[in-house]
Amino acid sequence: MSIVGENERIALRLADIQGNILNAYGKQGFPKGRAIFLHVDDGKKGRAFLEEFYDRVTTAVRWKSDNPYAPKAETSAPERPPVTLNFAFTFDGLAALGVPIKTLSMMPAEFLQGMRARAPILGDISPKGALDSWDEVWKDQTEAGGKNAVHIMALLNSKMNPVTGNPVPELDELTEDIRSVCNAKGGVRILQGHGVGAADYQDMSARLMQDPQTGHFKPVPLEHFGYVDGISDPVFEGQFPPEDEAVRKVGNGKFKGHLKDQEEIEDEANWEPLATGEFLLGYPDEAKEMPPAARPNLFSTNGTFMAYRKLQENVDDFDDYIDKTVPEFAKVYGIEDETAARATLLAKFSGRWQDGVPLALAKNYEEWVAFNAKYKDDVTKRKKLSRFIYADDEHGAACPASSHTRRVHPRDMLGPTPGSGTILVNRRRILRRGLPYDATNDTGDRERGIVMLICCASLERQFEFVQQQWINYGMDSNAGNDTCPMLGSRSTDDLKFVIPHATQADGEGAPYICSKLPQFVETKGGAYFFVPSMTSLRMMTIGVIDPT
């Protein structure tokens, strides 16, 4: 770590940071992924296992890339590898590897308890019996020291062969290397039980589009409900080179100007990157404090915490609900064209049109069409997708206050007056990683969803707050007990989603109410992990960690 003067930049030691913290691999040419979960039976052999793969762990050192969304690299930067490898550890996993009790005792309480134990806080107990439907690999997480508890997560991401749409062969080779080390040396076991599949890993893949002329496959950034995903990730100090940061921070950093109009929002001078300590341990956060971390400092610095969540999307239920709702919604909203009505309803649920254009910038179907006609270039358009606020839409006539994106990132709307709430929101930002999954077994059972990898310095203050207070509770969205229309848990069948009256609609201004919302997304497993720095990982492999 290198912290310089107050008015100068924080310089990160990229070679000490695991690459999946700073980089969303799925956006950078690695559309295929696997999560392998392991149990440590013998601490010494577990450390030897990590030593075996230490030199193959992917760091945050920037690669050469022709991807317009990838961060700029130095001319001497290394080439991109065909496959990446990163490790993360549960609390029980750290204990099994011999991390001292004194160090473990300084870990946050939510990390110690684990995700399954905190299911009531996260809304993961709905619908009734939800925890019993978690994948088999997670069933032993309730018992400390369980014989099949997840201890280590090995995350693999790979390039794709565009001709076949399959991962490059190096992904299978690395997977087999992990299996071979476990089988040959013992002490570490790969855990089984992932949904409908029979594989000993959780498979992940970006959705693919096949070119009708060449037959080649291309990854597209869509989740299974059909929305463009991964648009508005926070930008923090040191994450990108200065020239990249100047562009990326607009709309994704923290606003320091006066929220008056779109011109103010577009001005780079009005934005700063978020504090590094919101996402990496060992650096000051937005409160100018150092996030709580375990000692010694070398063990925590440049590490972070990660929430792994397997979220099943009930696509058929979602599509059926939208189909049944469109005719009445179109009538109430005064939309004659069925295609426009469906697109509008989908946008109201999300807060964005399905291609990612925010309702704040295109308030109706006609404006959306005009927006896309104006910004045809993908790179230019993508910059626009995060550059907006809600100050001129306080009551949600354009973008409902209870829509998904407005809940999880309220931007300027949680202060005493419109446009004054950004400071509070800055303490609740999270880095989102992960990829979709889609699996069908021999009997035809299919599961679709997304594996979410959420990184932040405080699981409780950031991830759990967003999940509990903004997704599964509606007071900050003026929605009472109603939950997020897309990701929210449904403890009863009387929860609703209120779409405010549109200025162009007929009637006396009554809203349209989507009632009896099904459970569109269900959690099928997950855990809290510590993602160590390379220094910390080396300390673990040699078994030398002195908390004093």
Side-chain angles (χ1 to χ4, degrees), residues 114-411:
M115 183 181 291
R116 191 178 177 99
R118 295 173 75 84
I121 294 173
L122 302 174
D124 289 341
I125 57 175
S126 296
K128 187 176 180 180
L131 289 176
D132 295 331
S133 70
W134 279 31
D135 286 356
E136 192 64 32
V137 72
W138 303 108
K139 295 292 179 67
D140 218 18
Q141 290 302 105
T142 54
E143 179 184 349
K147 64 179 181 179
N148 290 311
V150 172
H151 287 165
I152 302 173
M153 174 170 61
L155 280 169
L156 290 65
N157 285 78
S158 85
K159 296 179 181 178
M160 180 186 76
N161 182 338
V163 177
T164 63
N166 294 325
V168 294
E170 287 86 349
L171 180 61
D172 279 337
E173 292 169 8
L174 180 53
T175 303
E176 186 55 39
D177 287 347
I178 292 174
R179 288 196 193 103
S180 297
V181 172
C182 289
N183 294 335
K185 299 189 175 181
V188 179
R189 290 180 285 118
I190 295 178
L191 299 173
Q192 312 235 348
H194 298 277
V196 300
D200 53 1
Y201 54 80
Q202 175 61 56
D203 190 53
M204 296 174 276
S205 171
R207 295 183 64 182
L208 304 180
M209 176 185 70
Q210 189 172 19
D211 188 305
Q213 294 182 332
T214 65
H216 287 191
F217 292 89
K218 177 183 177 181
V220 290
L222 298 175
E223 49 74 54
H224 291 289
F225 291 149
Y227 294 91
V228 169
D229 196 22
I231 294 171
S232 187
D233 221 24
V235 171
F236 63 88
E237 191 172 356
Q239 183 181 9
F240 298 105
E243 61 273 20
D244 275 356
E245 181 186 279
V247 176
R248 295 172 186 260
K249 69 182 180 181
V250 181
N252 296 315
K254 55 186 176 185
F255 193 83
K256 302 297 288 184
H258 301 286
L259 293 168
K260 296 178 180 178
D261 51 37
Q262 191 63 31
E263 186 176 341
E264 292 281 338
I265 299 166
E266 295 272 1
D267 188 350
E268 293 179 4
N270 287 333
W271 293 87
E272 292 181 4
L274 291 158
T276 308
E278 293 293 318
F279 308 101
L280 282 176
L281 301 174
Y283 300 84
D285 60 22
E286 282 293 318
K288 310 299 182 186
E289 298 173 346
M290 302 291 275
R295 293 183 181 278
N297 290 335
L298 278 176
F299 181 80
S300 298
T301 297
N302 286 329
T304 193
F305 292 102
M306 175 184 285
Y308 174 102
R309 287 174 72 75
K310 181 179 179 180
L311 302 178
Q312 177 178 293
E313 295 177 284
N314 299 323
V315 179
D316 292 340
D317 290 346
F318 183 76
D319 289 343
D320 288 346
Y321 188 88
I322 295 296
D323 289 342
K324 293 175 183 177
T325 305
V326 164
E328 187 179 55
F329 171 77
K331 184 177 180 180
V332 171
Y333 246 60
I335 303 175
E336 296 182 0
D337 182 77
E338 184 177 341
T339 299
R342 181 182 178 84
T344 303
L345 181 60
L346 287 166
K348 295 292 185 181
F349 266 71
S350 170
R352 293 180 182 268
W353 300 90
Q354 283 197 293
D355 65 351
V357 176
L359 280 167
L361 296 180
K363 295 176 172 55
N364 54 52
Y365 186 81
E366 292 72 25
E367 289 188 17
W368 176 45
V369 172
F371 184 97
N372 284 323
K374 182 177 181 180
Y375 301 107
K376 294 181 180 180
D377 175 65
D378 283 346
V379 175
T380 303
K381 177 181 175 180
R382 193 177 185 88
K383 292 176 183 177
K384 293 286 184 182
L385 300 186
S386 297
R387 300 182 175 190
F388 64 92
I389 57 174
Y390 298 116
D392 63 348
D393 187 30
E394 180 181 0
H395 301 294
C399 180
S402 191
S403 64
H404 170 66
T405 55
R406 192 158 171 172
R407 277 177 176 262
V408 297
H409 186 191
R411 294 181 180 265

Side-chain angles (χ1 to χ4, degrees), residues 2 44 50 139 156 169 171 189 236 253 356 377 410 414 423 425 465 483 540:
S2 177
K44 184 177 181 180
L50 294 176
K139 295 292 179 67
L156 290 65
L171 180 61
R189 290 180 285 118
F236 63 88
D377 175 65
L414 291 186
I423 295 176
V425 175
F465 183 95
T483 64
M540 292 164 60

